[in-house]
Amino acid sequence: SLSFTLDTVAPAALGLALANGANGLTNSAALAALTPEAGALVEYRVDSGAWASSYTAPTANAAHTVDVRQTDAAGNVSPTSSLSFTLDTVAPAALGLALANGASGLTNSAALAALTPEVGALLEYRVDGGAWASSYTAPTSNAAHTVDVRQTDVAGNVSPTASLSFTLDTVAPAALGLALANGANGLTNSAALAALTPEAGALVEYRVDGGAWTSSYTAPTSNAAHTVDVRQTDAAGNVSPTASLSFTLDTIAPAALGLALANGANGLTNNAALAALTPEVGALVEYRVDGGAWASSYTAPTSNAAHTVDVRQTDAAGNVSPTASLSFTLDTVAPAALGLALANGANGLTNNAALAALTPEVGALVEYRVDGGAWASSYTAPTSNAAHTVDVRQTDAAGNVSPTASLS
């Protein structure tokens, strides 16, 4: 006797998929677990090769086709299941990672420059060692930071991690202290600026009269009103408030002062007082006597000798006039009284009022007064028969007046 069970029904085709669930492009050719019939023989064929009872995954980065079938215990063969895919195990390159503003190390913006990932790749970001995320949230705290980025291609290969470390600084530097080098306020003869004290590594920029910003200062030269602006940009790119300085430039020296003696004397004088000066409004007048130090007030020389007085004025802008000089000889010694006598030698009683010749100092002015009348530069003898008094004096070239000589 022979007993058997007849089974001519082929088992179903096996469900065939990649273990990682990839579809078409994968970085692993491992297959998902199969569910054959109990007791069935499972066979595999790779790229149309020979059927084998075990699966050897292909390793070449290329297109592949894997076939699988099962033969049940009765010998029935299932339809063949096929799976085609492209194997790619090459990781994409690390991404080029940089700040959008091109800064290196220190920045006022944590925005990243545009990345160029592979087509279809998944980008992920990590900030300061936190969790990976598919979008970038820039850090905002003023501190040191590290940003990591990676890409995972369509096949599932992960690139090396690119890292970028920087310090974020969003605090603007202080406005610079701006002043003229000569300390002038409002009116000046020099537009040079006092030294600035910017932050270390900052870029200092200047703007004159609303023009373009430049990295060096070119002082204005026209005699007019000007405004200079200055700002600093720190190493992180933060810009300070603008400091402004307005002033009027005046480089024209005032005229030399008219310098003369108060008594109008020329060369020889008995008084070193000066005539009133007419300086510019607000000017500083300075005096120098006989080559000494300049002083803001005049101390007249008193010694009977030759002297030179210099005077200059410095206007409100600081411009100094040419020096005016005045040379003179001071003589404060009065000449002697003149010897006064009648020409005929009479004493007390005379028939002729003519006077004997006088011997005044050279250049002296001789003056006469008869009977208490007015002084005159010539002598008119009295003619009336009576008592008379004649006075005479001399004034030397310096203006000193002698004692009066009298004759009765």
Side-chain angles (χ1 to χ4, degrees):
S1 293
L2 177 63
S3 296
F4 59 85
T5 299
L6 181 63
D7 174 8
T8 61
V9 180
L14 290 164
L16 187 58
L18 290 168
N20 59 11
N23 184 11
L25 187 62
T26 182
N27 65 343
S28 171
L31 298 178
L34 302 174
T35 55
E37 285 191 5
L41 168 67
V42 177
E43 293 176 290
Y44 305 86
R45 181 172 62 187
V46 177
D47 296 333
S48 300
W51 289 98
S53 59
S54 62
Y55 175 58
T56 301
T59 58
N61 289 312
H64 298 284
T65 298
V66 174
D67 302 322
V68 67
R69 66 186 180 187
Q70 60 176 324
T71 302
D72 63 16
N76 300 298
V77 179
S78 71
T80 298
S81 297
S82 291
L83 177 66
S84 293
F85 57 86
T86 298
L87 182 65
D88 173 8
T89 60
V90 179
L95 289 162
L97 187 58
L99 291 167
N101 59 11
S104 177
L106 188 63
T107 182
N108 66 344
S109 172
L112 298 178
L115 301 173
T116 53
E118 286 193 4
V119 175
L122 167 68
L123 286 180
E124 293 176 290
Y125 304 85
R126 182 173 61 188
V127 177
D128 296 333
W132 289 100
S134 59
S135 61
Y136 174 57
T137 301
T140 57
S141 62
N142 289 313
H145 298 284
T146 297
V147 174
D148 301 321
V149 68
R150 67 186 181 188
Q151 61 174 323
T152 302
D153 66 17
V154 177
N157 300 297
V158 182
S159 70
T161 298
S163 292
L164 177 66
S165 295
F166 56 86
T167 297
L168 182 64
D169 172 10
T170 60
V171 180
L176 288 164
L178 187 58
L180 291 167
N182 60 11
N185 185 9
L187 186 64
T188 181
N189 65 342
S190 172
L193 299 179
L196 301 174
T197 54
E199 286 193 4
L203 167 68
V204 177
E205 293 176 291
Y206 305 84
R207 182 174 61 187
V208 177
D209 296 334
W213 288 100
T214 60
S215 60
S216 61
Y217 174 58
T218 301
T221 57
S222 62
N223 289 311
H226 299 284
T227 297
V228 175
D229 301 320
V230 68
R231 68 185 181 189
Q232 61 173 324
T233 302
D234 65 19
N238 301 298
V239 182
S240 72
T242 297
S244 292
L245 176 66
S246 294
F247 55 87
T248 298
L249 182 64
D250 172 10
T251 61
I252 300 174
L257 289 163
L259 187 58
L261 291 166
N263 59 13
N266 186 8
L268 186 64
T269 183
N270 66 343
N271 187 343
L274 299 179
L277 302 174
T278 54
E280 286 192 4
V281 176
L284 167 68
V285 177
E286 294 176 291
Y287 305 85
R288 181 173 62 186
V289 178
D290 295 333
W294 289 99
S296 59
S297 61
Y298 174 57
T299 301
T302 57
S303 62
N304 289 311
H307 298 285
T308 297
V309 175
D310 300 321
V311 68
R312 67 185 182 187
Q313 60 174 324
T314 302
D315 66 17
N319 301 297
V320 182
S321 71
T323 298
S325 293
L326 176 66
S327 295
F328 57 85
T329 298
L330 182 64
D331 174 8
T332 61
V333 179
L338 289 164
L340 186 58
L342 291 167
N344 60 12
N347 186 6
L349 184 63
T350 182
N351 65 346
N352 187 343
L355 297 177
L358 301 174
T359 54
E361 285 191 6
V362 176
L365 168 68
V366 177
E367 293 176 290
Y368 304 85
R369 182 174 60 186
V370 177
D371 296 334
W375 288 100
S377 61
S378 62
Y379 174 57
T380 301
T383 57
S384 64
N385 290 311
H388 297 283
T389 297
V390 176
D391 299 322
V392 69
R393 67 185 181 188
Q394 60 173 326
T395 302
D396 65 18
N400 301 296
V401 182
S402 72
T404 298
S406 292
L407 176 64
S408 296

